[in-house]
Amino acid sequence: MRIACLDDEPVALVDDRAYRLIGLVPDADRYVTGADRMLALIRAWPEMAAVVTLDLDRLPSFDPAGAVWSAPVPRPGKILGAPVNYVAHGQEMQLEFTVERLGVFLKANSAVIGPGADIALPSADRRTDHEGELAVVIGRRARHLSPADALDAVFGYTCLLDITVRGPEERSLRKSFDTFAPMGPWIVTPDEVGDPGDLRLRCWVNDDLRQDASTADLIMSVPRLVAYVSQVMTLEPGDVITTGTPAGVGPIVPGDRVAVEVERVGRLEVGVVAGPTWSSGLLPPTDVVER
């Protein structure tokens, strides 16, 4: 099933209809924003899923054609990224270490935007790159998972662009500007995705296909990555783990259109505009080593 967010409400997309789910969320009136409502749905999903499947025709529905979706998880509790999780990407960036040595980084949840929105570039003096990725949405509280049981904690999968300013600062800073986490267009539940280690991932800038790879090439597979993170911190419903980008990253500039497509998950497309300038008084020299 595809789960999307529209007008501050979670909806199920089945064939050519969208079904409003908020009435099935326990204590739905407590939740005002789309972020709250989606997180409430994810928490309640283990009890709701069978009811949704049985009662779809009884739910309010509409034709989703032309709908403008929000990010499917408008405000994740946390976003965790996997740096250098494809060997070829490490080689193109001339990086010595991979995710197995580097660990993961945190990306601000305020960076999230939805399909059709715009990435706002903060500096004309710094190269800013696209990084197309498969992202995992956590479905239940989990700690100390093993790779064998890690996928049991997954609510679903979505597309994410991990936008990155190049420079000497820690990744969490350079990847956390507002608008630097386009996500969507929806979450696809695991039963429809199947093996997350066998998905084709492609990313375009305008009509230029820049990234074309398979998640089979991940250094740390989805189960290993989820289990690894859970050894350090408790995973909560609605947390997002983005699994790393393959080779082919490159610069984006105002006026570009960027799209990432993951097999059996969906296609996310956003624009690129010039954003508020990162204060020149706070920037280091522009000749610093980029990474």
Side-chain angles (χ1 to χ4, degrees):
M1 186 175 292
R2 293 172 295 160
I3 309 293
C5 190
L6 177 69
D7 298 332
D8 282 344
E9 285 194 19
V11 298
L13 300 171
V14 180
D15 298 327
D16 59 352
R17 299 296 293 173
Y19 297 85
R20 298 190 182 275
L21 297 175
I22 192 63
L24 299 179
V25 176
D27 300 321
D29 293 341
R30 294 172 47 200
Y31 306 106
V32 177
T33 69
D36 291 337
R37 290 179 170 187
M38 184 58 76
L39 292 178
L41 177 129
I42 293 171
R43 286 192 294 268
W45 190 251
E47 290 74 37
M48 286 178 54
V51 176
V52 171
T53 302
L54 292 172
D55 291 353
L56 272 179
D57 291 340
R58 301 180 186 179
L59 297 176
S61 69
F62 60 93
D63 183 348
V68 179
W69 307 110
S70 306
V73 188
R75 279 294 177 270
K78 49 187 174 286
I79 305 173
L80 297 140
V84 197
N85 203 12
Y86 291 82
V87 170
H89 173 55
Q91 292 170 341
E92 76 176 347
M93 301 303 292
Q94 300 181 340
L95 297 171
E96 181 179 358
F97 301 120
T98 70
V99 62
E100 294 176 310
R101 173 71 179 267
L102 296 170
V104 297
F105 60 85
L106 285 164
K107 188 176 177 91
N109 62 3
S110 53
V112 171
I113 56 173
D118 291 322
I119 300 162
L121 302 185
S123 174
D125 296 330
R126 291 280 196 95
R127 171 176 153 175
T128 300
D129 286 356
H130 63 84
E131 297 188 4
E133 308 196 8
L134 169 71
V136 179
V137 180
I138 299 300
R140 64 174 175 85
R141 176 173 286 188
R143 187 83 163 96
H144 296 299
L145 296 167
S146 70
D149 61 13
L151 295 186
D152 293 339
V154 172
F155 174 70
Y157 303 92
T158 191
C159 304
L160 188 141
L161 283 161
D162 179 22
I163 306 303
T164 306
V165 170
R166 299 299 172 194
E169 301 86 4
E170 293 297 330
R171 287 177 173 84
S172 290
L173 178 73
R174 295 182 289 106
K175 293 172 175 282
S176 287
F177 285 91
D178 289 353
T179 74
F180 270 29
M183 185 193 304
W186 41 64
I187 302 166
V188 183
T189 52
D191 58 299
E192 293 197 9
V193 173
D195 181 5
D198 184 28
L199 302 173
R200 187 181 184 186
L201 184 156
R202 289 178 290 175
C203 185
W204 294 261
V205 176
N206 304 317
D207 295 325
D208 180 21
L209 177 61
R210 292 191 179 177
Q211 296 180 280
D212 189 351
S214 170
T215 57
D217 299 325
L218 286 167
I219 296 169
M220 189 175 285
S221 68
V222 172
R224 282 188 61 207
L225 181 60
V226 173
Y228 172 71
V229 173
S230 77
Q231 305 305 308
V232 179
M233 63 193 79
T234 300
L235 297 174
E236 300 284 356
D239 285 350
V240 173
I241 301 175
T242 188
T243 59
T245 198
V249 303
I252 53 177
V253 297
D256 283 342
R257 299 291 300 176
V258 186
V260 58
E261 183 175 287
V262 180
E263 182 183 9
R264 302 197 296 274
V265 175
R267 179 185 174 96
L268 167 69
E269 185 169 342
V270 293
V272 183
V273 299
T277 302
W278 195 8
S279 173
S280 59
L282 300 178
L283 278 171
T286 56
D287 60 352
V288 295
V289 176
E290 294 185 342
R291 63 181 182 181

